Amino acid sequence: IDGPGIVTHLWFTISSREARNQLILRAYWDGETAPSIDAPLGLFFGAGHGDAKVPFFTNAFFDISPQLGLNCHLPMPFAKKANLTLTTSGDAKVSAIYYYVEYAKLKSLPANAGYLHARYHSEDPCAPKQDYVFAEGTGRGQLVGVNLQIDAKADGWWGEGDDKITIDGVDISQGTGTED
């Protein structure tokens, strides 16, 4: 998509629940060589755990319909060009993919416009008794959210582990645990 512009809505649905995290969504803004979005399709939208059934949900930026329509309403501005790709990383059979990308052309971007970045990260197994770092960053920006999925490896463990946010070495938030 030639810019300047802003992607306002992504929608996908696929024929195979098993393939939703073997399809990799990537977005490149303004001629980047490394993608700003690089994540399994289902996990980007909040539908994780392989082929598990995902209940529908809605929040300010994402929703998954009961028929597994994957929707993202995060604003994704770009100055010169937006290039979105979907590639497979596995062997699950996909007989149909339906999608659309809604966007608006702009005369120019606001000077303070930020670019959307989303990254997939996984550790299996995680290092015992060490914090799992889900995001690190420098410079101007905002953390919009985190989709944390845990596969328990032992019976009787439900994912306990307190979440915390640290900025510049100072703990600013201590949560009640990832089981919530």
Side-chain angles (χ1 to χ4, degrees), residues 47 63 70 84 100 116 121 138 153 160 170 177:
D63 64 78
L70 306 170
L84 286 84
Y100 61 74
L116 180 67
H121 174 76
T138 58
K153 302 291 185 183
E160 178 62 45
V170 177

Side-chain angles (χ1 to χ4, degrees), residues 98-161:
Y98 302 95
Y99 68 93
Y100 61 74
V101 177
E102 290 185 83
Y103 64 94
K105 292 273 196 168
L106 304 173
K107 291 184 189 248
S108 65
L109 286 183
N112 64 347
Y115 289 85
L116 180 67
H117 295 270
R119 198 69 76 220
Y120 170 74
H121 174 76
S122 177
E123 289 182 22
D124 187 10
C126 289
K129 300 186 184 207
Q130 291 187 16
D131 289 341
Y132 178 81
V133 177
F134 60 77
E136 289 184 297
T138 58
R140 185 177 68 90
Q142 295 178 340
L143 177 64
V144 177
V146 174
N147 175 1
L148 178 64
Q149 310 252 338
I150 297 173
D151 287 323
K153 302 291 185 183
D155 290 338
W157 184 77
W158 53 88
E160 178 62 45

Side-chain angles (χ1 to χ4, degrees), residues 12-25 39-55 64 68 70 86-89 92-94 149:
F12 288 87
T13 190
I14 59 175
S15 63
S16 169
R17 192 167 66 197
E18 294 80 15
R20 71 174 171 236
N21 288 322
Q22 292 182 21
L23 296 168
I24 307 300
L25 175 65
L41 184 69
L43 289 170
F44 176 80
F45 287 92
H49 294 299
D51 64 351
K53 184 176 180 188
V54 176
I64 298 178
L68 282 183
L70 306 170
L86 189 65
T87 56
T88 185
S89 67
K93 182 172 172 48
V94 179
Q149 310 252 338

Side-chain angles (χ1 to χ4, degrees), residues 1-7 76-80 103-106 108-109:
I1 305 167
D2 290 327
I6 184 167
V7 174
M76 301 175 216
F78 55 96
K80 299 174 187 166
Y103 64 94
K105 292 273 196 168
L106 304 173
S108 65
L109 286 183

